[in-house]
Amino acid sequence: MDFNLTAEQKKLLDTAEAVARESLEPRASKYDAEATHPIESWHDVWKAGLLTTSIPREYGGLGLDMTTYVMMIERLAWGCTSTAMTVHMHSTAQRFIDFLGTHQQKTTFFSDVVEDGRLVASWGSEPGRRGGASPTQTILSPVDDGFVINGQKHFCTMAGGAFRYLVACAAQGFPGRTGTVMALVPRDNAGMKISGGWDTLGMRGTVSPAVTFENCLVKREWVIGEPGQAENCGIEKAFGLGYSAIYIGAAQRALDCAKDFVKKNRFDPDPGTMAENSLIQRHIAEMALALESARLLTYQSASRWNEVEETGFRTILEGRAKSRATEAALFVTSRAIQVCGGRVAHKRYPLERIFRDVRTCTLMPPNVDRALESVGKAELELEL
Amino acid sequence: MDFNLTAEQKKLLDTAEAVARESLEPRASKYDAEATHPIESWHDVWKAGLLTTSIPREYGGLGLDMTTYVMMIERLAWGCTSTAMTVHMHSTAQRFIDFLGTHQQKTTFFSDVVEDGRLVASWGSEPGRRGGASPTQTILSPVDDGFVINGQKHFCTMAGGAFRYLVACAAQGFPGRTGTVMALVPRDNAGMKISGGWDTLGMRGTVSPAVTFENCLVKREWVIGEPGQAENCGIEKAFGLGYSAIYIGAAQRALDCAKDFVKKNRFDPDPGTMAENSLIQRHIAEMALALESARLLTYQSASRWNEVEETGFRTILEGRAKSRATEAALFVTSRAIQVCGGRVAHKRYPLERIFRDVRTCTLMPPNVDRALESVGKAELELEL
Amino acid sequence: MDFNLTAEQKKLLDTAEAVARESLEPRASKYDAEATHPIESWHDVWKAGLLTTSIPREYGGLGLDMTTYVMMIERLAWGCTSTAMTVHMHSTAQRFIDFLGTHQQKTTFFSDVVEDGRLVASWGSEPGRRGGASPTQTILSPVDDGFVINGQKHFCTMAGGAFRYLVACAAQGFPGRTGTVMALVPRDNAGMKISGGWDTLGMRGTVSPAVTFENCLVKREWVIGEPGQAENCGIEKAFGLGYSAIYIGAAQRALDCAKDFVKKNRFDPDPGTMAENSLIQRHIAEMALALESARLLTYQSASRWNEVEETGFRTILEGRAKSRATEAALFVTSRAIQVCGGRVAHKRYPLERIFRDVRTCTLMPPNVDRALESVGKAELELEL
Amino acid sequence: MDFNLTAEQKKLLDTAEAVARESLEPRASKYDAEATHPIESWHDVWKAGLLTTSIPREYGGLGLDMTTYVMMIERLAWGCTSTAMTVHMHSTAQRFIDFLGTHQQKTTFFSDVVEDGRLVASWGSEPGRRGGASPTQTILSPVDDGFVINGQKHFCTMAGGAFRYLVACAAQGFPGRTGTVMALVPRDNAGMKISGGWDTLGMRGTVSPAVTFENCLVKREWVIGEPGQAENCGIEKAFGLGYSAIYIGAAQRALDCAKDFVKKNRFDPDPGTMAENSLIQRHIAEMALALESARLLTYQSASRWNEVEETGFRTILEGRAKSRATEAALFVTSRAIQVCGGRVAHKRYPLERIFRDVRTCTLMPPNVDRALESVGKAELELEL
């Protein structure tokens, strides 16, 4: 475990911090109110060079190690949870392309991002299936000169906003979990229709409606890897690490808001500012420590990412980070509101939005129960 | 402590339950989305005979004991938190009228409610003052044939919606806390202007903007009691008991939603319904018990309301109920969402609204820190 | 739910309180240090008329309702956890005798208690079996003029101290759970040997070693009921209700000690007594409310005891009380020590003993996991 | 923050682990039962080269950095909490000698440790003073050829066991906190008498009775530093970091015991071992993560020890580590017992001792309230 960052890493994190504060934060409440794609913020993230962090250097990306990556996502989330979440999904889609794609495919798909700042979404959820389970209802079937997809996906983040969608399909004719295969479908595909709304508690800027596929044509070169290769390949566990970073970045923002509020406000007839109240100091301490310990656990998990390139090991890393980051972020965002009091329920303060975002995005798979199950089994040396 | 209800009390609670389920619940999401007064629901509550519960029988009211009252408010909150909250504020305003008013005033003000179902709001908060502190910035000054009010109030629930507003003022010329006096101002008063918006996390149907008073004319007969009489009279502690009941009713609704969801849903590849999962059973048990124990403590506090008619004693009752009901409701509403998972973040499910409502209304004074302080001092036999 | 006690009930509780304070408390640390039977305290409980509380009035007992019984046990536990626990086990044994015994058996066994203050123990646990599971290793076999018991019991409370032991046996030849049968074995039986020690964290005065039965002769008239009758008869759930009361009484004692300590102590250079510190007031409040809400839930469960005379229903009552009382008592006893600080780790203060006792006796079946499981299943209308 | 240990550091930690497992652990229950000094274990720690870890290399010590030191203490605590605690106090006394002593004094005092394995205790507490407050009642007064100490100390760890005692005194004639001065008194000093017992909940092997000084003669060369120099010098904050490591080591032991127990035990009629139960897996996960996050926070605090050599900064480091390590260790040791069940209340299992030790040693100053206060003030940029 080594968090001694190089000058280059530090500079990148400073950049992320500046983009979050100057570009993402000022637009976050608008995307929330309108439930629209954070297009301008994506653009700024790309301009700052942070859209290619998980693309290898040989393809023009930054090829960040997982620890620095996680720290970068955390910083973006401080400014706008929805932007950080979509950038993280895009970045994880790049990892799949890197793992599964041919040299030719990588050249094509990566250059879209590097040259043009085009985002790639990643769609996995299905109606009636537990989040995180492998796909069974979105079927990829061979046709003359390629494939078609039929079925439905839920929680299709960036639908209509990203340039391409990485769709997890079940290859026709493969039994059980042996046929999971990934297809990269471009936005303007006629066989793909948004079939549900996105009016939710939080994470409203992630715009994640249901999408229906009807004989959606897929060219041969859009399919990356062979059926089964994407199943439990270990890459998918990067999702949870990034989620954890997002919870922590958002919760840090909530804590900072609360600290700022109690330092600046004084209410008659209480003497002094709220910050001078010993109970408020205690609340702040409890929040800061809950957050910091979840952060350290998340960094620790990220720093061990390459120790074993295997789903089982990474399930534990993800489980450790996600269960504690979830708990800490829920605690901090709720307590921050409580400490400040009724005034911050107004939408002119950011706290209520962050509170909604955190309660929403902590629901993404694996949920706390499953995350703890993985950790417990690993501790007891039982099979996952 | 005696919860053996009479047949009459039980019937009234059944009525409240039916109104909540059939009339309030179906409109709750609309009031939330639009942030409008629950006018139709108020009407139904009146028609069901539940707008007069704290008006004495001799004036045509129901004159409920505090325990039955609290149980009634809890049932209304199950259907619509905003309606329950406004009805509770109205009902507590009636308690002030009963305590401070002359026979003539009671006859007038109570008949508005009994005959015409007109609501009375209660405004106490001021900018720059801690919630629950006595007023110093809303000044009632004598003029020729009555008074004028000048100043500003915050969190003016039912502004523009209620028929009259019970405004807590500081009588001009009275030092410190000796001059608190209550004036009942009708809605159509030209000296009173809504001066702020109401766009909040939750409790959106309580419509509680800032209101500015500029030489707002007040007739002599609209002022109830003498300066100082309303200060620490003990009546004000009924607020907190009712809030507690609202938290419990809302949390019960959240728990019921979660139970319903897990009984009806099954997600591949998990075997059986969610309800058959032992971890989900445990979550449900933890929620049910947290809620039930807070409920019992709230009923216990209500049942002791008349033991001592004094602010100090009632501060403790209120503190006991409010601190535990707050904690239980925050826990239950957040955990209920977690148990059900990402789908219930959609606004088509009621859970997310109840979650927002509870986080919002638990901020009302006294906050948890102050509630616990009262309880701790009482346990240690220190002065409050 | 009705806690309006009659004058007679109140008097009995006052008696219990006086016995606890004057007789039990002064000896509690001795029994703990020596791990010996609280013989003198049993005697005082008998003299005060509290050894017959679950014996019907027609046999000379007090025939208390469950609510008053639970309140009585709670008061005894305030003075000495081990005495309260043994008296509770004895009292629950009387319930079995009442439920299973013939008139002749009741006359005999009850008169021992009423006339002579003789205690009856109740032994159920077996090596290698989960606590609370029905017996399979202690076999009751017929011989010429009666029966013999062979096997081993664990956690044989009052071994060597009580006058008779109610031994849960498996009747030879009955499959599964159909043969559970109870035998009342007197102390001086040659076939019964204490075969293990009792050197434990807490509850040291309950003296609960292992006991081995080798052809232990049992007269026909010592066996109460037919094989199977004692299995899931509902009576056994009285154990858990009484345990809950014991946790609450012990925790109340810990809280009282802490309150006393902080009121009396002042440590340089802190200003004032510890009680004047606002954080300490908060700790006291949190403890008091955790305890009070668990107490109300326990009383509520007790008050519903006779609603349905059935194991399933009573399992839920027991589960509700025991899970919350466990949690509250663990919290209060640990926090009480923390609030007072290092000095109370000395054995000259009672806090450390109560802390050990509570951590120990809350392990008795059903444990928290199983208690919550029952509650969760009941909430979800699933079979227990 | 860099935990990349060198081969040398790793070897040392392996040594500590081996000593803990092979030498300390087998004797821990004896020292607990008898409340005697762990003399044999001290000897083994010395022989393993771990008694000189905070003595500079130029004086023959190991001169460990704070992070490795803390990891070493954690490992010792896994085997025996009392041995780890006394070694830690001894080691912190060496830090004072290094900071305050002359070259001549260091040569003398350090060689006792390096050559002969003699332990140095550190006594600060006084009756009627808050733990951690500077001394006012143990007065060092000049006499002809040196000084005398008069007064009383509480919690004098290793009294009668260590070779020398570092006594924090108030130099006569110095007002307020300006006169704190340290004297190193050898064991065989006639003016020093053990005046209290040591019969406590836990940490019984630390033997920490009260000690009375009556004209206790102190040679000039036994006093290290000038009056005031030892006051808030920053060294004293090493105590809390080491305590945190002890809590974590002890809790890790408890967790390991619980894991071992549930893997090896199976109780009828439950299917499979306890470890296969999903609720037990969850408990284990919750314990492991609470512990790991407190551990990371403790290591982080230790790794920042030399960033600022100042009491204020180090108070925050200590506060961060100690508050979370306290909470985690209390949780883990209590839950470990709960998971295993009633059998582990027996003293033949180590869990109950560790549980008692942790509840006891977490009471050492600063307590959680003060630790959180420091952290909260630091977060809010207020003066400590």
Side-chain angles (χ1 to χ4, degrees):
Chain A
M1 190 175 184
D2 180 358
F3 303 155
N4 284 340
L5 302 172
T6 64
E8 197 184 350
Q9 287 166 323
K10 278 183 194 154
K11 200 179 147 198
L12 185 134
L13 295 179
D14 287 347
T15 301
E17 210 170 300
V19 170
R21 195 177 52 248
E22 291 157 27
S23 305
L24 272 48
E25 197 282 331
R27 299 186 195 109
S29 70
K30 184 177 79 94
Y31 298 137
D32 171 68
E34 300 172 353
T36 49
H37 298 292
I39 292 172
E40 302 85 347
S41 289
W42 288 339
H43 186 79
D44 289 345
V45 170
W46 174 56
K47 280 293 176 198
L50 304 178
L51 219 50
T52 67
T53 51
S54 53
I55 294 175
R57 284 172 185 256
E58 59 265 38
Y59 292 98
L62 290 178
L64 283 193
D65 61 285
M66 188 55 91
T67 311
T68 318
Y69 171 76
V70 149
M71 290 173 171
M72 189 265 304
I73 288 292
E74 176 192 348
R75 274 147 185 82
L76 295 184
W78 189 95
C80 175
T81 336
S82 287
T83 304
M85 180 58 81
T86 45
V87 168
H88 169 53
M89 291 184 141
H90 156 87
S91 302
T92 307
Q94 306 308 316
R95 290 182 200 276
F96 274 107
I97 296 170
D98 185 41
F99 182 77
L100 297 168
T102 61
H103 175 65
Q104 183 53 49
Q105 287 175 317
K106 295 188 199 185
T107 305
T108 309
F109 295 132
F110 287 156
S111 108
D112 275 353
V113 183
V114 175
E115 304 300 329
D116 303 314
R118 290 170 165 172
L119 277 97
V120 180
S122 172
W123 299 349
S125 301
E126 291 180 352
R129 301 254 320 147
R130 191 183 67 215
S134 43
T136 59
Q137 297 166 34
T138 322
I139 313 294
L140 184 83
S141 322
V143 290
D144 278 358
D145 48 352
F147 302 92
V148 290
I149 304 178
N150 282 285
Q152 204 189 20
K153 287 285 181 196
H154 270 188
F155 294 106
C156 298
T157 300
M158 297 193 265
F163 182 72
R164 276 204 184 83
Y165 312 113
L166 182 69
V167 185
C169 302
Q172 199 188 19
F174 285 77
R177 303 163 72 181
T178 62
T180 300
V181 66
M182 299 288 200
L184 273 154
V185 183
R187 176 164 45 187
D188 55 1
N189 195 308
M192 196 169 61
K193 283 211 192 74
I194 292 178
S195 53
W198 182 249
D199 190 8
T200 51
L201 171 63
M203 300 307 288
R204 299 170 59 80
T206 61
V207 193
S208 309
V211 166
T212 305
F213 295 83
E214 269 189 55
N215 291 320
C216 170
L217 289 172
V218 171
K219 292 192 186 165
R220 209 169 289 280
E221 61 266 31
W222 297 348
V223 174
I224 53 174
E226 296 301 313
Q229 253 190 305
E231 185 66 45
N232 287 339
C233 62
I235 303 294
E236 75 280 8
K237 301 304 169 189
F239 281 121
L241 285 185
Y243 298 162
S244 306
I246 289 166
Y247 309 160
I248 289 164
Q252 183 64 54
R253 178 78 201 290
L255 176 55
D256 290 346
C257 288
K259 284 162 64 173
D260 191 59
F261 189 91
V262 301
K263 283 198 268 190
K264 287 189 180 150
N265 282 282
R266 182 191 165 285
F267 294 106
D268 280 337
D270 291 335
T273 62
M274 292 175 78
E276 293 168 60
N277 178 303
S278 69
L279 282 172
I280 286 183
Q281 291 161 13
R282 185 186 183 88
H283 288 306
I284 296 289
E286 288 177 343
M287 288 190 264
L289 293 178
L291 192 51
E292 184 67 5
S293 57
R295 175 184 281 124
L296 290 174
L297 210 52
T298 299
Y299 291 175
Q300 187 196 47
S301 282
S303 75
R304 302 184 62 189
W305 177 254
N306 284 322
E307 271 181 32
V308 185
E309 298 197 12
E310 187 258 319
T311 287
F313 177 74
R314 288 177 173 175
T315 298
I316 301 162
L317 296 182
E318 182 195 49
R320 287 166 68 96
K322 192 166 186 301
S323 57
R324 294 296 281 195
T326 294
E327 199 183 296
L330 290 172
F331 166 69
V332 168
T333 50
S334 181
R335 182 66 67 89
I337 288 179
Q338 187 159 310
V339 163
C340 297
R343 285 157 181 93
V344 299
H346 275 281
K347 285 184 179 289
R348 64 177 175 268
Y349 290 97
L351 272 174
E352 68 86 33
R353 183 187 74 244
I354 301 165
F355 172 71
R356 288 185 288 109
D357 280 352
V358 164
R359 179 61 287 183
T360 308
C361 68
T362 48
L363 300 172
M364 298 176 75
N367 71 20
V368 176
D369 288 349
R370 296 187 70 81
L372 286 175
E373 187 191 336
S374 306
V375 175
K377 285 186 169 162
E379 288 283 327
L380 292 165
E381 290 156 33
L382 295 166
E383 251 185 82
L384 289 193
Chain B
M1 190 174 185
D2 181 359
F3 304 156
N4 283 340
L5 302 173
T6 63
E8 198 184 350
Q9 288 166 323
K10 278 185 195 155
K11 199 179 148 199
L12 185 135
L13 295 178
D14 286 347
T15 301
E17 212 170 298
V19 170
R21 195 176 54 247
E22 291 156 26
S23 306
L24 273 48
E25 198 281 332
R27 299 188 195 109
S29 71
K30 183 180 80 96
Y31 297 137
D32 171 67
E34 300 172 355
T36 50
H37 298 292
I39 291 173
E40 300 85 349
S41 288
W42 288 339
H43 185 79
D44 289 344
V45 170
W46 175 56
K47 281 292 176 199
L50 303 178
L51 219 49
T52 67
T53 51
S54 55
I55 294 176
R57 285 174 184 256
E58 59 265 39
Y59 291 96
L62 289 179
L64 284 192
D65 61 285
M66 188 56 91
T67 311
T68 318
Y69 172 77
V70 149
M71 291 172 170
M72 189 263 307
I73 288 292
E74 176 192 347
R75 274 148 185 82
L76 294 185
W78 190 94
C80 176
T81 336
S82 287
T83 303
M85 180 57 81
T86 44
V87 168
H88 170 53
M89 291 184 142
H90 156 86
S91 302
T92 307
Q94 307 308 318
R95 290 182 199 275
F96 274 108
I97 295 170
D98 185 41
F99 182 77
L100 297 168
T102 60
H103 174 64
Q104 182 52 50
Q105 287 175 316
K106 295 188 201 185
T107 304
T108 308
F109 295 132
F110 287 155
S111 107
D112 275 354
V113 183
V114 174
E115 305 299 329
D116 303 315
R118 291 170 165 172
L119 278 98
V120 180
S122 171
W123 297 351
S125 301
E126 292 179 351
R129 303 251 323 145
R130 192 184 66 216
S134 43
T136 60
Q137 297 166 34
T138 322
I139 312 294
L140 182 84
S141 321
V143 290
D144 279 359
D145 48 354
F147 303 91
V148 290
I149 303 178
N150 281 285
Q152 204 189 19
K153 287 285 181 196
H154 270 187
F155 294 106
C156 298
T157 300
M158 298 192 266
F163 181 72
R164 276 204 184 83
Y165 312 113
L166 181 69
V167 186
C169 302
Q172 198 189 21
F174 285 76
R177 302 164 71 181
T178 62
T180 300
V181 66
M182 299 288 199
L184 272 155
V185 184
R187 176 163 47 187
D188 56 0
N189 195 306
M192 196 169 59
K193 283 210 193 76
I194 292 178
S195 55
W198 182 249
D199 191 7
T200 52
L201 172 63
M203 299 308 287
R204 298 170 59 81
T206 61
V207 193
S208 309
V211 166
T212 304
F213 295 85
E214 266 189 58
N215 291 322
C216 169
L217 288 173
V218 170
K219 292 194 188 164
R220 210 168 291 278
E221 62 266 31
W222 298 349
V223 174
I224 52 174
E226 297 300 312
Q229 252 190 304
E231 185 67 43
N232 287 340
C233 62
I235 302 296
E236 74 280 8
K237 301 304 169 189
F239 281 122
L241 286 185
Y243 298 162
S244 307
I246 290 166
Y247 308 161
I248 289 164
Q252 182 64 55
R253 178 78 201 289
L255 175 56
D256 289 346
C257 289
K259 285 161 64 173
D260 191 58
F261 189 91
V262 302
K263 283 198 270 191
K264 288 188 180 151
N265 282 283
R266 182 190 165 287
F267 294 106
D268 279 335
D270 291 335
T273 63
M274 294 174 77
E276 292 168 62
N277 179 303
S278 69
L279 283 171
I280 285 182
Q281 292 162 12
R282 185 185 182 89
H283 289 305
I284 296 289
E286 287 177 343
M287 290 191 262
L289 293 178
L291 193 51
E292 183 67 4
S293 57
R295 175 184 282 124
L296 290 174
L297 211 52
T298 298
Y299 291 174
Q300 187 196 47
S301 281
S303 75
R304 301 186 61 188
W305 177 254
N306 284 323
E307 271 182 33
V308 186
E309 298 198 12
E310 190 256 319
T311 287
F313 177 74
R314 289 178 173 176
T315 299
I316 300 162
L317 296 183
E318 182 194 47
R320 287 166 68 96
K322 192 168 186 299
S323 56
R324 294 296 281 197
T326 294
E327 200 183 293
L330 290 172
F331 166 69
V332 169
T333 51
S334 181
R335 183 65 66 88
I337 288 179
Q338 187 158 310
V339 164
C340 297
R343 285 158 181 93
V344 299
H346 275 281
K347 283 183 181 290
R348 65 176 174 267
Y349 290 96
L351 271 175
E352 68 85 32
R353 183 188 73 244
I354 301 165
F355 172 71
R356 289 185 286 108
D357 280 351
V358 164
R359 179 60 288 184
T360 307
C361 67
T362 48
L363 300 172
M364 299 177 75
N367 70 21
V368 176
D369 289 349
R370 297 187 68 81
L372 286 175
E373 188 192 335
S374 307
V375 175
K377 284 186 169 163
E379 288 282 327
L380 292 164
E381 290 157 34
L382 296 165
E383 254 184 79
L384 290 192
Chain C
M1 191 176 184
D2 181 358
F3 303 155
N4 283 340
L5 303 173
T6 63
E8 197 185 351
Q9 287 166 324
K10 277 183 193 154
K11 199 179 147 199
L12 185 135
L13 295 178
D14 287 346
T15 300
E17 210 170 302
V19 170
R21 195 176 54 248
E22 290 157 27
S23 305
L24 272 49
E25 197 281 331
R27 299 188 196 109
S29 71
K30 185 179 79 93
Y31 297 137
D32 171 67
E34 300 172 354
T36 49
H37 298 292
I39 292 172
E40 302 85 349
S41 289
W42 288 339
H43 185 80
D44 290 344
V45 170
W46 174 56
K47 280 293 175 198
L50 303 178
L51 220 49
T52 67
T53 51
S54 53
I55 294 175
R57 286 175 184 254
E58 59 266 38
Y59 292 97
L62 289 177
L64 283 192
D65 61 285
M66 188 56 92
T67 311
T68 317
Y69 172 75
V70 148
M71 290 172 169
M72 189 264 305
I73 288 292
E74 176 192 348
R75 274 147 186 83
L76 294 185
W78 189 95
C80 175
T81 336
S82 288
T83 303
M85 180 57 81
T86 44
V87 168
H88 169 54
M89 291 183 142
H90 157 86
S91 302
T92 307
Q94 306 309 316
R95 291 183 199 275
F96 276 106
I97 296 170
D98 185 41
F99 181 77
L100 297 168
T102 61
H103 174 64
Q104 182 53 48
Q105 287 175 317
K106 293 188 200 182
T107 303
T108 308
F109 296 132
F110 287 155
S111 108
D112 275 353
V113 182
V114 174
E115 305 300 328
D116 303 315
R118 290 170 165 171
L119 278 97
V120 180
S122 171
W123 299 349
S125 302
E126 291 179 353
R129 302 257 318 151
R130 192 183 66 214
S134 44
T136 59
Q137 297 166 34
T138 322
I139 312 295
L140 183 83
S141 322
V143 290
D144 279 357
D145 47 354
F147 302 92
V148 290
I149 305 178
N150 282 285
Q152 203 188 20
K153 288 284 180 195
H154 271 188
F155 295 106
C156 299
T157 301
M158 298 193 264
F163 182 71
R164 276 203 184 84
Y165 312 113
L166 182 68
V167 186
C169 302
Q172 198 189 21
F174 285 76
R177 303 165 70 182
T178 62
T180 300
V181 66
M182 300 287 199
L184 273 155
V185 184
R187 177 165 43 188
D188 55 1
N189 196 309
M192 195 169 62
K193 281 211 193 75
I194 292 179
S195 54
W198 182 248
D199 191 8
T200 52
L201 172 62
M203 300 307 288
R204 299 169 60 80
T206 61
V207 193
S208 309
V211 166
T212 305
F213 296 84
E214 267 188 55
N215 291 321
C216 171
L217 289 173
V218 171
K219 291 192 190 166
R220 211 169 288 278
E221 61 265 32
W222 298 349
V223 173
I224 52 174
E226 296 301 313
Q229 252 190 304
E231 185 67 45
N232 287 339
C233 62
I235 303 294
E236 74 280 8
K237 301 304 169 190
F239 281 122
L241 285 185
Y243 298 162
S244 307
I246 289 166
Y247 308 161
I248 288 164
Q252 183 64 55
R253 177 79 202 288
L255 176 55
D256 290 345
C257 289
K259 285 161 65 173
D260 191 58
F261 189 91
V262 301
K263 284 199 270 192
K264 288 189 180 150
N265 282 283
R266 182 191 165 286
F267 294 106
D268 280 335
D270 292 334
T273 62
M274 293 174 77
E276 293 168 61
N277 179 302
S278 70
L279 283 172
I280 285 182
Q281 291 161 13
R282 184 185 182 89
H283 288 306
I284 297 289
E286 288 178 342
M287 288 190 264
L289 293 177
L291 193 51
E292 184 67 5
S293 56
R295 176 184 281 123
L296 290 174
L297 211 52
T298 299
Y299 291 175
Q300 187 196 46
S301 282
S303 76
R304 302 185 61 188
W305 177 254
N306 284 323
E307 272 182 30
V308 186
E309 298 198 14
E310 188 258 319
T311 287
F313 177 74
R314 288 178 173 176
T315 299
I316 301 161
L317 296 182
E318 181 195 48
R320 288 166 69 95
K322 193 168 186 298
S323 58
R324 294 296 279 196
T326 294
E327 199 183 294
L330 290 172
F331 166 69
V332 168
T333 50
S334 181
R335 183 66 66 88
I337 288 179
Q338 187 159 309
V339 164
C340 297
R343 284 157 181 94
V344 299
H346 275 281
K347 284 183 181 289
R348 63 177 174 268
Y349 291 96
L351 272 174
E352 68 86 31
R353 184 189 72 245
I354 301 165
F355 171 71
R356 289 184 287 108
D357 280 351
V358 164
R359 179 60 289 183
T360 308
C361 67
T362 48
L363 300 172
M364 298 176 76
N367 71 20
V368 177
D369 289 350
R370 296 187 68 81
L372 286 174
E373 188 191 335
S374 306
V375 175
K377 285 186 169 161
E379 288 283 327
L380 292 165
E381 290 157 34
L382 295 166
E383 252 184 83
L384 289 192
Chain D
M1 189 175 184
D2 181 359
F3 305 155
N4 283 340
L5 302 172
T6 63
E8 197 185 350
Q9 288 167 323
K10 277 182 195 157
K11 199 180 149 199
L12 185 134
L13 295 178
D14 286 347
T15 301
E17 211 170 299
V19 170
R21 195 177 53 247
E22 291 157 25
S23 305
L24 273 47
E25 197 280 331
R27 298 188 196 109
S29 70
K30 183 179 80 92
Y31 298 138
D32 171 68
E34 299 172 355
T36 50
H37 299 291
I39 292 173
E40 302 85 349
S41 289
W42 288 340
H43 185 79
D44 289 343
V45 170
W46 174 57
K47 280 294 177 195
L50 303 177
L51 219 48
T52 68
T53 51
S54 55
I55 294 176
R57 284 173 185 256
E58 59 265 39
Y59 290 97
L62 290 178
L64 283 192
D65 61 285
M66 189 56 92
T67 310
T68 318
Y69 172 75
V70 149
M71 291 173 170
M72 189 263 306
I73 288 291
E74 176 192 348
R75 275 149 185 81
L76 295 185
W78 189 94
C80 175
T81 337
S82 287
T83 302
M85 180 58 80
T86 44
V87 168
H88 170 53
M89 292 185 141
H90 156 87
S91 301
T92 307
Q94 306 308 317
R95 291 182 200 275
F96 276 107
I97 295 170
D98 185 41
F99 182 76
L100 297 167
T102 62
H103 174 64
Q104 183 53 49
Q105 287 175 317
K106 295 188 200 185
T107 304
T108 308
F109 296 132
F110 287 155
S111 108
D112 275 352
V113 182
V114 174
E115 305 299 330
D116 303 315
R118 290 171 166 173
L119 279 97
V120 180
S122 171
W123 297 350
S125 302
E126 292 181 352
R129 303 253 320 147
R130 192 183 66 214
S134 44
T136 59
Q137 295 165 35
T138 321
I139 312 296
L140 183 83
S141 322
V143 290
D144 279 359
D145 48 352
F147 302 91
V148 289
I149 304 177
N150 281 287
Q152 204 189 19
K153 288 285 181 197
H154 271 187
F155 294 105
C156 297
T157 300
M158 297 191 266
F163 182 71
R164 277 203 183 83
Y165 312 113
L166 181 69
V167 186
C169 301
Q172 197 189 23
F174 285 76
R177 303 163 71 179
T178 62
T180 301
V181 66
M182 298 289 199
L184 272 154
V185 183
R187 176 164 44 186
D188 57 0
N189 195 308
M192 196 168 61
K193 282 209 193 77
I194 292 177
S195 54
W198 182 250
D199 191 8
T200 52
L201 172 62
M203 299 308 287
R204 298 170 60 82
T206 62
V207 192
S208 308
V211 166
T212 305
F213 296 84
E214 267 188 56
N215 291 321
C216 171
L217 288 173
V218 171
K219 292 193 188 165
R220 210 168 290 279
E221 61 266 30
W222 297 348
V223 173
I224 53 174
E226 297 301 312
Q229 252 190 305
E231 185 67 44
N232 287 340
C233 62
I235 303 294
E236 75 279 8
K237 301 304 170 190
F239 281 121
L241 285 185
Y243 298 161
S244 306
I246 289 165
Y247 308 161
I248 289 163
Q252 183 64 55
R253 178 77 200 290
L255 175 56
D256 290 346
C257 288
K259 286 161 63 174
D260 190 59
F261 190 91
V262 302
K263 283 198 270 189
K264 288 189 180 151
N265 282 283
R266 182 191 165 286
F267 294 106
D268 279 335
D270 292 335
T273 63
M274 294 174 76
E276 292 167 61
N277 179 302
S278 70
L279 283 171
I280 285 182
Q281 291 162 12
R282 185 185 182 90
H283 289 305
I284 296 290
E286 287 177 343
M287 289 191 263
L289 293 177
L291 193 51
E292 184 67 4
S293 58
R295 176 184 280 123
L296 289 174
L297 210 53
T298 298
Y299 290 175
Q300 186 196 47
S301 281
S303 76
R304 301 185 61 189
W305 176 254
N306 284 323
E307 272 182 31
V308 186
E309 298 198 12
E310 188 257 318
T311 288
F313 177 74
R314 288 177 173 177
T315 299
I316 301 161
L317 296 182
E318 183 195 46
R320 288 166 68 96
K322 194 167 185 300
S323 56
R324 294 296 281 195
T326 294
E327 199 183 294
L330 290 172
F331 166 69
V332 169
T333 50
S334 181
R335 183 65 66 89
I337 288 178
Q338 188 159 310
V339 164
C340 298
R343 283 157 181 95
V344 299
H346 274 281
K347 284 183 181 290
R348 64 177 174 267
Y349 290 97
L351 273 174
E352 68 86 32
R353 183 187 74 243
I354 301 165
F355 171 71
R356 289 184 287 109
D357 280 352
V358 164
R359 178 59 290 183
T360 308
C361 68
T362 48
L363 301 172
M364 299 177 75
N367 70 20
V368 176
D369 289 349
R370 297 187 69 82
L372 286 175
E373 186 191 336
S374 307
V375 174
K377 285 186 169 163
E379 288 283 327
L380 293 164
E381 290 157 34
L382 295 166
E383 250 184 83
L384 288 192

